[in-house]
């Protein structure tokens, strides 16, 4: 096979850690690949060295490229060199050779942050490299000389030195070689390739669906170097400055109409951006209270103009104006108090003061931390109307307080059916809002029926709904006759915090249902039927509105049972890139906004109009009560910024979920997260979302103690709800949350809430089934690996390992008190060893784990089909046959598992009397032998038998295995 080469061009490094005691360092680079060691020259007295040297490595076997790793280390060389002085590490990086560019022309200059070599080492800075493959005959392109000589003697011309380090001396620092110059140095070097400084992670993702670590200039990463007050509280986003104009009101405006009044409004103009207040009819002292925000990055003029106009049918009349030079506008930095508005006398077109007319306003420059930011009209939304403006603003929402309402229907008395010649078949119907439940018919037909059945509903605070209870008689298969009705206010229901304190039941008088239609009957009193009920609000549960696998809140409903917070979660929603053009048919891009949900708090960013690279830079904070929770961030396309149909829905762009327990405390995570959407046509990447995340712990003891507490409140375990019942209640809770948030202004629409809460996660999906099977296989593979290792030890495939296992086994048998300490010490050592392989980034959507990349189009079409199906009968038949085939295989596996369990039960059940006799007689003999034989001897004999050499092994199954396989199961009893 033809030999290959790989080239590592070491360009430069920056912001290295000082090591010489004088605030500087003498860095050089040492690289190791496939047993070959090479190094660069040493650059003296520099923390920002430039080498521009190429190190070339030979790869004898190109098929092993994917398994090779480049280990590149930066060292400080003591000066003058001394054998007694050790070299100091400045950092290292490890890269897979498979990620190198295929040719020099396609290889950009990449900047990689340096990693620590050890647990206690201190490292800073990064190194710039070009990495590419070469054929055996190729030569690496020449690098241009260094712009500034940085060697020990500045008077010498810049040189390029190549060092080769023998493998047996890899750990010794090589002295600088002799200074050499080549003929190529005199030639004019080609211009260097363009430097592309990318915010890439230390190990670049191998897939386009991977996470990309970034290093944005935010104060949280810069260590609060900025002196601005905002840097300490609003430190996960970049500061975006805005020019704010707060138009409050006007007074004593002149008459402009024939009627002796005017219809005033205010126009705020800055360059090509123009914001307009609503106009007020016939008002000379109008009040607007509207705020306008102009992004300072897009300022197109050096002054802002404020004009008061009179709304007219043909042409609006000029009333007066004001203008402010941007150089005179003050800067406001929170937490300073808001700028007080002032009265300004209006001017005419010539700049002369008017006798009548004053305008109260305030003008200042602030950031997105300003409290005026969420309510302001933004210049990037200048093209939409005032009606659509409300749908573009950032808002904070809170889910309603949810609780379980229990209704126990015990019995009824003295019911009066219309046909007294027959015994009524009675059941009870209970309705709360859009939730409707029915009891089973009474076991005994009677006018005094008994049920003793409990129904559970989801109620939301404030409890302004009523519980409607109707007793009905099933007269015919399709006809029910109401026998009595009762209406109870939910607000009057008692609360239960502990199941040990039962709520007493009460008798209630039923109302004649025919009285609802007849006013005279309603005035007539007495309807003797009664019903015995117990209804109360169960506040000890947590009402699940999310899936338990990624829930963001696990606290009980009652505030009396809640624990204090353990920390703070801060989220910076920075920007997005490469978004899909969701409105391409309309000739527009995307009107994107983000929604984040954690606990009961929802946040919504402002909508950035017509942009595929929106920049929000908004920061939000949540209290954290449980570390094992998940925050969800979704990106949507706003379909309500212009005149849209009433049934228009905001389109989903993608979603990110992050589990808080996977985050290190006080560390700022900044990554680009892929936005992925699964569609009937397949998996599609719709863009990347840039987030900054930090978890800060305030109660360490409480956080650690959480790992020993139940995940859900106590009531979920003492009085558990069935899984089927929980699924139904979760659906009802999601409906309540969606209805409440849809009534906010601007509304958080149902499609957004359903996407964030995974409303369709319970639907069948063949793709999810395959993914779950793969997850099970992955979990069981570790046990299989242990079994394969033990089988290899028993078969002496590695004699050294087998001998060591023999020695360890004999030591543990002779000293059995060492067994448990050894096991736990082994677990400790495995954990310490795996620390170096710990995840360095938050979790994100894994496309391979989800089987999203390999799903068949027909499987996806089935997953997105409605329920019930709307597909043609032949497609439904094909899918049904496929499901039957898969179910048959699952049935076979389940049957095999049942067979093994029944064989174990058959050992002592005398279903096979001969096998049971053999087993109990052998048990008696073994018991006698174990009583007279020391335990250590028994364990040695058993261990040596299991670890015997292959020469003493038979290929036939063992006797115990054959005995177990011959035991009877109940499979022959199945029809």
């Amino acid at each position: 096979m033809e030999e290959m080469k790989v080239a590592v061009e070491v360009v430069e490094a920056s912001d290295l850690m000082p090591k010489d005691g004088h605030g500087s360092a003498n860095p050089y680079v040492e690289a190791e690949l496939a047993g070959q060691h090479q190094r660069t020259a040493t650059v003296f007295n520099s923390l920002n060295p430039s080498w521009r040297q190429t190190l070339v490595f030979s790869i004898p076997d190109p098929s092993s490229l994917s398994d090779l790793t480049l280990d590149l280390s930066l060292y400080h060389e003591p000066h003058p060199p001394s054998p007694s002085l050790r070299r100091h590490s400045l950092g290292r990086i490890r890269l897979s050779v498979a990620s190198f560019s295929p040719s020099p022309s396609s290889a950009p200059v990449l900047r990689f942050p340096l990693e620590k070599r050890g647990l206690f080492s201190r490292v800073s800075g990064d190194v710039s490299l070009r990495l590419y493959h070469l054929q055996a005959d190729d030569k690496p392109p020449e690098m241009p000389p260094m712009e500034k000589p940085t060697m020990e003697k500045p008077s010498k011309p810049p040189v390029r030195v190549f060092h080769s380090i023998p493998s047996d001396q890899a750990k010794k620092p090589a002295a600088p070689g002799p200074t050499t110059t080549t003929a190529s140095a005199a030639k004019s070097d080609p211009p260097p390739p363009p430097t592309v400084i990318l915010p890439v992670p230390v190990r670049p993702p191998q897939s386009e669906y991977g996470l990309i670590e970034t290093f944005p200039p935010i104060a949280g990463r810069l260590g609060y170097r900025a002196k601005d007050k905002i840097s300490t509280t609003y430190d996960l986003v970049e500061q975006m400055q805005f020019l704010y104009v707060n138009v409050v009101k006007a007074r004593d405006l002149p008459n402009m109409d024939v009627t002796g009044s005017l219809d005033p409004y205010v126009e705020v103009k800055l360059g090509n951006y123009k914001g307009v207040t609503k106009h007020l009819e016939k008002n000379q002292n109008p009040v607007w209270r509207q705020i306008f925000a102009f992004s300072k990055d897009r300022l197109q003029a050096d002054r802002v103009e404020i004009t008061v106009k009179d709304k007219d049918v043909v042409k609006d009349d000029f009333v007066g104006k004001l203008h402010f030079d941007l150089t005179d506008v003050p800067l406001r930095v929170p937490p300073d108090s808001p700028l007080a508005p002032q009265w300004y006398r209006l001017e005419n077109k010539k700049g002369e003061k008017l006798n009548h007319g004053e305008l109260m306003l305030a003008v200042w420059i602030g950031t997105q931390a300003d409290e005026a930011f969420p309510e302001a009209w933004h210049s990037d939304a200048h093209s939409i109307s005032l009606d659509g403006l409300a749908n573009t603003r950032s808002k904070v929402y809170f889910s309603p307080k949810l609780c379980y309402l229990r209704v126990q229907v015990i019995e009824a008395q003295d019911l009066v059916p219309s046909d007294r010649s027959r015994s009524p078949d009675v059941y009870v119907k209970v309705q709360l809002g859009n939730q409707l439940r029915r009891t089973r018919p009474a076991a005994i037909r009677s006018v005094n029926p008994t049920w003793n059945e409990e129904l559970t509903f989801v109620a939301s605070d404030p409890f302004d709904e009523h519980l409607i209870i109707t007793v009905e008689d099933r007269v015919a298969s399709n006809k029910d006759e109401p026998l009595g009705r009762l209406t109870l206010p939910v607000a009057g229901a008692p609360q239960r915090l502990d199941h040990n304190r039962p709520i007493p039941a009460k008798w209630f008088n039923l109302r004649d249902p025919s009285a609802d239609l007849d006013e005279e009957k309603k005035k007539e009193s007495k309807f003797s039927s009664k019903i015995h009920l117990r209804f109360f609000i169960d506040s000890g549960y947590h009402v699940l509105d999310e899936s338990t696998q990624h829930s963001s809140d696990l606290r009980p409903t009652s505030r009396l049972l809640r624990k204090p917070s353990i920390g703070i979660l801060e989220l910076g929603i920075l920007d997005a890139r490469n978004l899909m053009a969701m409105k391409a048919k309309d000739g527009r891009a995307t009107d994107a906004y983000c929604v984040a949900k954690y606990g009961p708090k929802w946040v919504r960013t402002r909508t950035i109009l017509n942009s595929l690279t929106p920049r929000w830079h908004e920061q939000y904070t949540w209290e954290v009560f449980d570390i094992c929770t998940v925050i969800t961030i979704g990106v949507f396309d706003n379909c309500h910024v212009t005149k849209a149909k009433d049934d228009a829905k905001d389109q989903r762009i993608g979603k990110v979920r992050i589990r808080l327990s996977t985050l290190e405390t006080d560390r700022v995570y900044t990554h680009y997260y892929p936005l992925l959407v699964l569609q009937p046509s397949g998996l599609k990447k719709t863009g990347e979302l840039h987030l900054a995340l930090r978890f800060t712990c305030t109660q360490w003891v409480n956080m650690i103690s959480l790992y020993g507490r139940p995940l859900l409140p106590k009531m979920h375990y003492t009085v558990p709800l069935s899984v089927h019942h929980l699924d139904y209640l979760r659906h009802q809770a999601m409906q309540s949350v969606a209805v409440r948030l849809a009534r906010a202004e601007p509304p958080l629409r149902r499609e957004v809430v359903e996407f964030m809460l995974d409303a369709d996660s319970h639907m069948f999906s063949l793709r999810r089934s395959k993914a779950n099977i793969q997850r099970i296989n992955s979990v069981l593979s570790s046990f299989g690996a242990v079994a394969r290792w033990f089988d290899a030890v028993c078969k002496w495939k590695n004699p050294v390992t087998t001998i060591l296992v023999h020695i360890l086994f004999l030591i543990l048998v002779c000293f059995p008190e060492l067994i448990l300490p050894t096991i736990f010490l082994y677990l400790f050592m495995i954990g310490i060893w795996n620390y170096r392989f710990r995840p360095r980034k938050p979790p994100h959507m894994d496309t391979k784990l989800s089987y999203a990349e390999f799903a068949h189009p027909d499987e996806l079409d089935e997953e997105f089909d409605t329920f019930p199906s709307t597909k043609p009968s032949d497609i439904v038949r094909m899918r049904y046959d496929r499901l039957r085939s898969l179910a048959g295989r699952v049935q076979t596996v389940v049957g095999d598992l049942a067979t093994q369990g029944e064989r174990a039960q058959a050992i002592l059940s005398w279903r096979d009397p001969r096998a049971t006799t053999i087993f109990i007689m052998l048990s008696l003999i073994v018991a006698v032998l174990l009583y007279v034989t020391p335990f250590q001897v028994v364990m040695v004999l058993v261990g040596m038998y299991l670890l015997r050499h292959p020469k003493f092994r038979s290929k036939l199954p063992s006797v115990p295995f054959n005995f177990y396989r011959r035991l009877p199961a109940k499979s022959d009893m199945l029809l």
Side-chain angles (χ1 to χ4, degrees), residues 101-118:
S101 298
S103 64
S105 59
S106 63
V109 177
L110 302 178
R111 190 178 295 276
F112 298 92
L114 295 171
E115 287 184 319
K116 297 180 180 180
R117 288 196 67 90

Side-chain angles (χ1 to χ4, degrees), residues 210-460:
L211 240 60
I212 299 179
E213 186 175 3
T214 61
F215 302 91
I218 58 177
R221 272 194 171 274
L222 298 177
Y224 304 118
R225 294 177 187 171
K227 301 299 183 181
D228 195 352
K229 292 181 182 179
I230 192 177
S231 301
T232 59
T233 56
Y234 217 64
D235 61 337
L236 293 185
V237 294
E238 298 179 32
Q239 291 191 39
M240 299 174 65
Q241 289 195 330
F242 295 87
L243 173 68
Y244 290 99
V245 179
N246 181 12
V247 180
V248 183
K249 56 185 177 180
R251 67 184 179 188
D252 195 22
L253 294 179
N255 299 328
M256 303 297 294
D257 295 340
V258 179
T259 58
S261 184
L262 76 166
D263 305 328
Y265 69 91
V266 176
E267 178 184 278
V268 182
K269 188 176 181 181
L270 181 64
N272 291 332
Y273 294 110
K274 181 174 65 175
V276 180
T277 68
K278 58 181 178 291
H279 75 276
L280 304 176
E281 295 183 359
K282 301 186 183 306
N283 196 331
Q284 292 182 277
N285 299 287
V287 177
W288 293 285
R289 300 190 186 279
Q290 284 186 241
I291 302 175
F292 300 86
F294 300 88
S295 175
K296 200 173 180 182
D297 295 338
R298 300 182 181 179
L299 294 184
Q300 301 173 338
D302 56 359
R303 71 184 210 169
V304 57
E305 298 178 358
I306 300 101
T307 307
V308 181
K309 292 187 177 182
D310 174 33
K311 188 72 174 177
D312 208 340
V313 178
V314 180
K315 182 179 180 182
D316 298 343
D317 297 326
F318 174 85
V319 178
K321 70 173 184 178
L322 294 171
H323 69 272
F324 295 89
D325 291 334
L326 298 187
T327 55
D328 299 331
V329 175
L331 175 67
R332 184 202 165 204
V333 179
D336 292 348
S337 299
L339 201 65
Q342 301 179 34
W343 286 105
Y344 295 90
R345 185 169 295 278
L346 295 175
E347 301 174 354
N348 59 20
K349 293 182 179 180
K350 297 180 180 180
E352 300 171 349
K353 300 292 184 182
L354 297 178
N355 296 327
H356 298 281
E358 290 181 296
L359 183 63
M360 177 180 277
L361 53 81
V363 183
W364 73 95
I365 292 177
T367 64
Q368 69 269 45
D370 202 300
E371 61 267 15
F373 177 80
E375 296 293 334
W377 170 96
H378 286 269
S379 57
D380 53 11
H382 68 282
S383 60
I384 64 174
S385 63
L386 290 175
D387 296 334
L389 183 63
N391 292 312
T392 67
R393 290 172 173 160
S394 59
K395 289 290 181 181
V396 176
Y397 307 82
F398 278 89
S399 298
K401 178 183 175 183
L402 302 178
C403 60
Y404 290 140
L405 176 67
R406 291 182 181 265
V407 181
Q408 185 178 3
V409 183
I410 303 174
E411 58 182 333
Q413 283 185 359
D414 303 330
L415 298 178
V416 184
S418 59
D419 184 4
R420 303 194 180 188
S421 63
R422 56 178 287 277
S423 298
D425 186 12
V426 185
Y427 68 93
V428 178
K429 182 173 68 176
V430 185
Q431 184 173 2
L432 178 66
N434 60 350
Q435 304 175 62
L436 180 64
R437 304 291 302 278
R438 292 181 174 88
T439 66
R440 291 185 295 270
I444 300 175
R445 293 190 174 191
S446 169
V447 293
N448 299 308
T450 301
W451 296 278
N452 281 324
E453 190 170 340
E454 190 174 73
L455 307 175
T456 306
F457 301 85
V458 175
S460 60

Side-chain angles (χ1 to χ4, degrees), residues 742-858:
R743 294 164 57 187
E745 184 63 35
L748 202 59
R749 303 183 185 276
R750 174 180 290 271
E751 61 270 17
V752 175
V753 176
E754 290 180 351
F755 182 60
M756 297 289 289
L757 297 181
D758 281 332
D760 57 349
S761 61
H762 64 283
M763 298 297 292
F764 170 76
S765 167
L766 190 60
R767 174 189 60 83
R768 285 199 192 103
S769 301
K770 290 182 178 180
N772 289 330
I773 292 174
Q774 184 62 30
R775 290 169 60 196
I776 294 175
N777 292 339
S778 177
V779 171
L780 297 179
S781 64
S782 57
F783 298 98
V786 173
R788 289 190 296 271
W789 173 84
F790 185 73
D791 182 69
V793 169
C794 294
K795 293 181 178 179
W796 289 72
K797 291 184 178 179
N798 190 339
V800 176
T801 303
T802 304
I803 293 173
L804 292 176
V805 171
H806 276 78
I807 297 173
L808 178 62
F809 171 72
L810 294 176
I811 292 175
L812 295 180
V813 169
C814 297
F815 304 97
E817 64 274 9
L818 298 179
I819 294 177
L820 287 178
T822 303
I823 292 176
F824 285 101
L825 180 62
Y826 181 66
L827 295 176
F828 170 79
M829 296 303 296
I830 291 178
I832 293 297
W833 176 257
N834 289 340
Y835 177 78
R836 59 184 296 193
F837 308 110
R838 69 191 185 279
R840 305 297 178 89
K841 55 189 179 183
H844 66 288
M845 303 294 186
D846 193 329
T847 55
K848 293 184 178 179
L849 181 66
S850 306
Y851 260 75
E853 296 184 61
F854 317 107
H856 192 274
D858 183 67

